[in-house]
Amino acid sequence: LSPAKQSIMYQLAMNAEARNDAGSALNYYKMAFEAEPKNTTARTLYAAALIRAGNEAAADEVIAPILESGNAAEPRITQAYLNRQRYDKIVEIWSAFVKVNPQNEQGHFTLAAAYYAKGDKENAIATLERAKVAKPEIAAQADQLIGEIRSGTAKIQ
């Protein structure tokens, strides 16, 4: 009855994903996005599908309008980049998020983890040091992680 409704397109895309039909899923996410490009959910679902499909250039275009607002730091996009081991992209989106949300401790920890996974211990530690300044109550947790980063024993989950 409502084939153009975004929520139905999302369900059709998820059904296609469950059937391992990535091409159809991508098409449904694209249709949902094109139906209402201002809808952040449609934008992030489509971007994540593009990343999973290996079309990162198109994903960059879809993400660009929401990057500086921090809205690209969304679990589905992060997971898609993580699956492709694109820690540089995770750093990019979470750096923007932390800039807009400096009090968000999870943002700092996610950004530090991305730097660490990328092999950039110096920026991982600097990120945690900034987190301690922004939220002093997390200092003990940040210090423990800093110690693990310095020793090379930190685990990315």
Side-chain angles (χ1 to χ4, degrees), residues 108-148:
H108 287 281
F109 284 111
T110 301
L111 178 57
Y115 275 124
Y116 182 70
K118 186 179 157 198
D120 187 347
K121 289 181 179 184
E122 185 177 307
N123 275 316
I125 291 168
T127 299
L128 294 169
E129 292 292 352
R130 285 191 299 276
K132 291 185 335 185
V133 171
K135 294 213 51 164
E137 61 270 22
I138 65 164
Q141 185 180 5
D143 285 337
Q144 178 182 351
L145 189 52
I146 288 169
E148 292 173 8

Side-chain angles (χ1 to χ4, degrees), residues 21-33:
D21 185 356
S24 292
L26 182 60
N27 286 332
Y28 285 123
Y29 285 130
K30 181 179 182 181
M31 288 171 38
F33 168 68

Side-chain angles (χ1 to χ4, degrees), residues 41 50 70 91 98 117 140 150:
T41 299
L50 285 166
V91 165
V98 167
R150 286 191 174 126

Side-chain angles (χ1 to χ4, degrees), residues 43-147:
R43 182 175 296 275
T44 58
L45 288 170
Y46 181 43
L50 285 166
I51 295 162
R52 287 191 303 273
N55 193 344
E56 292 183 23
D60 287 346
E61 291 178 24
V62 172
I63 291 170
I66 61 170
L67 183 64
E68 288 187 29
S69 67
N71 289 330
E74 200 273 341
R76 290 171 282 233
I77 291 175
T78 302
Q79 186 63 50
Y81 279 135
L82 184 61
N83 291 345
R84 298 185 64 76
Q85 297 182 349
R86 289 301 309 267
Y87 306 114
D88 58 321
K89 293 292 190 176
I90 297 170
V91 165
E92 181 181 5
I93 62 176
W94 283 92
S95 291
F97 178 85
V98 167
K99 184 176 181 181
V100 175
N101 302 286
Q103 296 296 312
N104 185 295
E105 62 196 68
Q106 188 57 51
H108 287 281
F109 284 111
T110 301
L111 178 57
Y115 275 124
Y116 182 70
K118 186 179 157 198
D120 187 347
K121 289 181 179 184
E122 185 177 307
N123 275 316
I125 291 168
T127 299
L128 294 169
E129 292 292 352
R130 285 191 299 276
K132 291 185 335 185
V133 171
K135 294 213 51 164
E137 61 270 22
I138 65 164
Q141 185 180 5
D143 285 337
Q144 178 182 351
L145 189 52
I146 288 169

